[in-house]
Amino acid sequence: MIGDGMGLAHSYAAYLYNGDSLVMFTMPYTAFAITSCADRKVTDSGAGGTAIATGHKTNYGCIGMDDKGNARISLLEIAKRAGKSTAMVCTSSITHATPASFVAHVSDRDLQDSIALAYLSGNVDVVLGGGRDNFMPDKRKDGLNVADSLKEKGYAIVTDMNELDEVKSDRIVGLFAENHLEPFAKRGNFMEKSMTKALDVVSDNEEGFFMMVEGSKIDMESHDNRYERMMDELLDFDACVRIALDFARKDGHTLVVVVADHETGGLALKSKDKGTECEWTSDDHTAIPVPVYAYGPGSEQFRGVIQNTDIFWKIYNLMIK
Ligand SMILES: [Zn+2]
C-alpha cells in the first residue's frame, strides 16, 4: 500500500485531525526508507515506484527499468508468474507513475499511451482507477482501441462504479475517470469499494495474491499545498489500510506493508497556541526518508533505516519461497 508523497508529518497531521487516531499507527513494525533515485537525491513517483516495484534504483522519471535502461520485473509480475492473482487500486489514472511501475517498462513516465498497452500483458487481474482516455481510440494518438483489445483478452471493462458490484468476471479493468479520480469530497467511497471488490476477487486464489493500493492524491494535494484536502486523501487511504488489516487478521497468511515513494510538500507542524499549525515548505517532493509500517508474517523484517529498494527484496523473499 503506497501513500504517494506521504511523509511522517502528513500522517501525524491526519492522526491529530482524526482525534488522535490513525490505523497505520497501530501496525507493529516500522522502518524508515531512503527514497533517493539513481541520478537525484529527490526522487519522483516513477523512480520511487520503480524502486519499490523492482528493487532497482533508476533515473528520475523512469518506469520499470534500471538506470542502464534494462527492463526489470516487478513484484506484481513475479506474483503472476508464481500463479498468484494480482490487483491494483488507485485514485490516479492507472497509467500514472506509481501503478505504471508495477506493469510497464518505459524510459519516460509521460508515455501514457504506451503504459496503457502494458495492461495487455495480462499480468494484472483486477485494476481499478482512472485513466480512461489512454484506452480509447478517439483519445489516443495512435487511434488504437485498447479497451476493446482488453475485452478480447477476457477483461470486463467497467466505467461506472454502480456496475462494479454486479461484475462477475475475475479479470476487471475499471476506468472510472477520463484521467485522475475526483478529490475525496466528490468521489466518495471509491477507494473502500474498489479495494473490497478487488480483495474479494483475488483472495479466491489458493496460491495467494499480490495487491498494490495507492493513495495517489495525497501527493497531488500536497503539490498544491492543500492541507485539509490532503488529510481527506490520507484518511481515505487509511480506511483502506483498515480493510487490509481486517483481512490479514482473519486470513493469517497475509503481509501488509504501508509505504510512501517520497515525501511531498516539506510539511512542517509548527506550534500554535497549544496545538499545531501546518506549514508547507515546498510545492515539490523532498529528500526526507519516509516511514514504512508492516503487519503480518515477516513484518518484523521491516525495521531500521532501509533503502526503498529493500522493500522490494523483503516482499520478494517473503512472497517467493
Ligand atoms: Zn509519488
Side-chain angles (χ1 to χ4, degrees):
M1 304 187 74
I2 303 178
D4 202 307
M6 185 178 72
L8 181 56
H10 295 66
S11 296
Y12 187 60
Y15 167 90
L16 293 176
Y17 181 78
N18 196 39
D20 292 357
S21 167
L22 197 67
V23 179
M24 64 186 81
F25 281 3
T26 68
M27 296 172 75
Y29 291 95
T30 51
F32 285 105
I34 293 170
T35 64
S36 62
C37 63
D39 60 345
R40 299 196 197 183
K41 282 284 172 280
V42 178
T43 193
D44 82 305
S45 296
T50 297
I52 296 166
T54 73
H56 290 271
K57 298 244 183 195
T58 190
N59 295 328
Y60 195 90
C62 285
I63 299 287
M65 48 177 51
D66 65 23
D67 63 343
K68 309 284 188 294
N70 304 305
R72 292 293 182 173
I73 192 167
S74 76
L75 285 170
L76 185 144
E77 293 164 324
I78 291 164
K80 180 45 76 184
R81 286 193 191 179
K84 299 178 193 300
S85 293
T86 57
M88 293 203 287
V89 174
C90 59
T91 48
S92 64
S93 160
I94 64 169
T95 57
H96 202 239
T98 305
S101 298
F102 289 83
V103 294
H105 307 278
V106 295
S107 58
D108 182 352
R109 58 182 288 173
D110 291 336
L111 299 169
Q112 301 274 303
D113 280 358
S114 303
I115 292 166
L117 296 176
Y119 286 96
L120 294 170
S121 68
N123 286 322
V124 191
D125 295 312
V126 180
V127 55
L128 307 173
R132 198 157 60 232
D133 279 359
N134 296 104
F135 293 80
M136 298 303 172
D138 53 328
K139 297 288 169 70
R140 287 178 59 89
K141 289 198 183 73
D142 56 13
L144 287 176
N145 192 330
V146 186
D148 268 3
S149 302
L150 286 165
K151 274 186 212 160
E152 282 162 24
K153 288 192 172 285
Y155 284 97
I157 309 290
V158 189
T159 55
D160 180 344
M161 276 307 282
N162 297 317
E163 294 168 18
L164 190 59
D165 286 340
E166 269 83 76
V167 180
K168 293 286 180 280
S169 177
D170 55 4
R171 308 198 91 192
I172 308 169
V173 175
L175 300 164
F176 303 106
E178 289 175 355
N179 188 17
H180 306 313
L181 271 289
E182 297 272 22
F184 174 74
K186 282 195 184 167
R187 73 170 184 267
N189 64 353
F190 162 84
M191 281 284 274
E192 289 182 77
K193 271 186 87 171
S194 296
M195 182 165 175
T196 303
K197 175 69 178 185
L199 255 184
D200 192 43
V201 175
V202 299
S203 60
D204 264 357
N205 188 338
E206 289 192 356
E207 299 298 320
F209 67 88
F210 175 84
M211 184 182 313
M212 194 288 288
V213 179
E214 186 199 21
S216 320
K217 303 199 93 172
I218 299 167
D219 171 73
M220 295 177 192
E221 300 299 355
S222 299
H223 278 288
D224 290 342
N225 289 181
R226 290 177 172 136
Y227 170 63
E228 288 187 355
R229 281 171 57 159
M230 177 281 287
M231 288 198 290
D232 283 346
E233 295 295 337
L234 199 151
L235 291 172
D236 188 34
F237 176 68
D238 197 52
C240 290
V241 175
R242 183 189 302 281
I243 293 170
L245 293 179
D246 285 348
F247 177 91
R249 250 179 236 116
K250 274 192 212 132
D251 174 70
H253 303 286
T254 303
L255 170 67
V256 182
V257 185
V258 178
V259 301
D261 52 349
H262 52 76
E263 197 267 0
T264 305
L267 186 61
L269 301 180
K270 295 167 54 177
S271 169
K272 187 183 184 193
D273 303 326
K274 286 183 177 173
T276 62
E277 177 183 45
C278 279
E279 187 172 317
W280 302 95
T281 65
S282 169
D283 61 2
D284 203 347
H285 305 165
T286 72
I288 193 85
V290 290
V292 179
Y293 312 90
Y295 171 88
S299 57
E300 68 284 353
Q301 294 184 24
F302 292 83
R303 60 194 154 87
V305 179
I306 62 177
Q307 290 291 340
N308 51 2
T309 46
D310 293 331
I311 297 164
F312 166 91
W313 289 108
K314 289 177 196 297
I315 295 174
Y316 172 79
N317 286 323
L318 289 161
M319 186 167 74
I320 307 295
K321 281 186 212 155

